[in-house]
Amino acid sequence: MENENVGRSIPRIGEKAPSFRAVTTQGEINFPDQYAGSWVILFSHPADFTPVCTSEFMTFASMEKDFEKYNCKLVGLSVDGLYSHIAWLRTIKDKIEYKGMKDVEVKFPLIEDITMEVANKYGMMQPGESNTKAVRAVFVIDPKGVIRTVLYYPLSLGRNFQEILRIVIALQTADAFSIATPADWQPGDDVIVPTAGSCGVAKERMDTKDGSLKCYDWFFCTKKLDKDTIFKQLEKK
Ligand code: BEZ
């Protein structure tokens, strides 16, 4: 019997990123092994020479240095072929001026995936949306090759790349300082201390009066963590 889930699995948070070798616009890559020790964002786009994707590539490529600061590399993918990728990236650099961005060179690798092998491994083909184009997927993968965040957007919706950068900074801050980040957190905002795991700690938290904690209740306490402390720590890595 045919397994209807073949090609439909979706890698989950906390799992090792599925491995593959692929041809890209920057030569062959061995993923994720070649990226061990770095954070990496693997993302897909539906098709070359399309407007939303062009706006996304120009934005992402323009922010590559912002991601580098956090030891984070970018890898793109669509189910188009290598020569289409090369032609599209050349067009972007030579002809497209958009929102003040021009002469944008996409230096990160763009995977060719005509067989959809990689797209299927990463759940990027979602037939309810399209049988022939990958959805806009984003996998944030840590230096140990573990998936830390997964996003899927439909074809019509361009992604917010400031949010993707915020995700990388928030994950690295949570790892470095053993905290969590509240809704809409930005570096410099208060962070959440781990919820009290015993009655004693709950009482201690509520009794703390030295101003180091702000407790909304015993299970919801925040503390200050300034931007400089975060950036000094993250840039060391
Ligand atoms: C776009 O990038 O503009 C696009 C790609 C596929 C379907 C719809 C829009």
Side-chain angles (χ1 to χ4, degrees):
M1 198 177 87
E2 205 176 302
N3 180 349
E4 64 179 22
N5 284 325
V6 167
R8 286 195 183 184
S9 66
I10 289 184
R12 289 172 293 189
I13 292 173
E15 293 177 355
K16 281 272 182 191
S19 55
F20 60 85
R21 286 175 183 273
V23 170
T24 84
T25 49
Q26 301 289 331
E28 282 195 26
I29 60 169
N30 178 11
F31 196 93
D33 292 5
Q34 164 179 342
Y35 293 90
S38 297
W39 289 74
V40 57
I41 292 174
L42 174 67
F43 70 101
S44 57
H45 70 276
D48 299 343
F49 292 102
T50 50
V52 179
C53 299
T54 300
S55 70
E56 289 194 321
F57 263 66
M58 293 185 76
T59 307
F60 222 173
S62 301
M63 291 173 65
E64 197 173 3
K65 288 240 164 332
D66 299 322
F67 285 90
E68 266 172 24
K69 265 201 243 164
Y70 299 97
N71 184 27
C72 183
K73 301 193 158 83
L74 312 177
V75 179
L77 173 149
S78 81
V79 301
D80 296 291
L82 181 64
Y83 301 126
S84 166
H85 284 346
I86 293 171
W88 181 44
L89 299 188
R90 285 177 62 87
T91 302
I92 287 176
K93 179 164 182 349
D94 295 345
K95 300 203 179 127
I96 311 288
E97 189 170 343
Y98 171 71
K99 283 199 167 170
M101 295 178 279
K102 65 175 187 178
D103 201 24
V104 175
E105 188 173 353
V106 175
K107 295 185 182 144
F108 56 80
L110 175 49
I111 296 168
E112 80 156 356
D113 191 29
I114 309 171
T115 60
M116 302 186 187
E117 187 189 328
V118 180
N120 281 327
K121 275 191 176 174
Y122 277 83
M124 293 164 172
M125 302 309 298
Q126 303 199 2
E129 184 70 350
S130 171
N131 282 315
T132 56
K133 294 175 172 62
V135 295
R136 299 181 196 279
V138 180
F139 291 87
V140 182
I141 297 163
D142 75 13
K144 292 187 175 139
V146 174
I147 295 173
R148 300 291 298 275
T149 298
V150 179
L151 305 171
Y152 288 104
Y153 281 50
L155 303 189
S156 65
L157 179 55
R159 287 159 281 199
N160 181 327
F161 292 93
Q162 290 296 339
E163 168 61 2
I164 296 171
L165 182 60
R166 191 189 76 98
I167 289 170
V168 171
I169 297 170
L171 289 170
Q172 294 187 6
T173 302
D175 287 356
F177 295 95
S178 303
I179 51 80
T181 48
D184 296 335
W185 177 84
Q186 294 289 344
D189 293 349
D190 289 358
V191 294
I192 294 177
V193 298
T195 298
S198 69
C199 294
V201 174
K203 179 173 178 340
E204 207 177 285
R205 292 263 173 93
M206 293 306 281
D207 289 347
T208 301
K209 302 283 182 239
D210 64 4
S212 60
L213 290 180
K214 176 168 184 177
C215 288
Y216 299 88
D217 202 337
W218 66 269
F219 63 92
F220 182 6
C221 296
T222 62
K223 67 175 184 183
K224 298 214 171 304
L225 181 57
D226 66 81
K227 260 190 204 175
D228 288 351
T229 308
I230 293 174
F231 292 145
K232 246 187 237 152
Q233 177 70 24
L234 300 191
E235 279 165 22
K236 266 197 262 165
K237 302 225 160 193

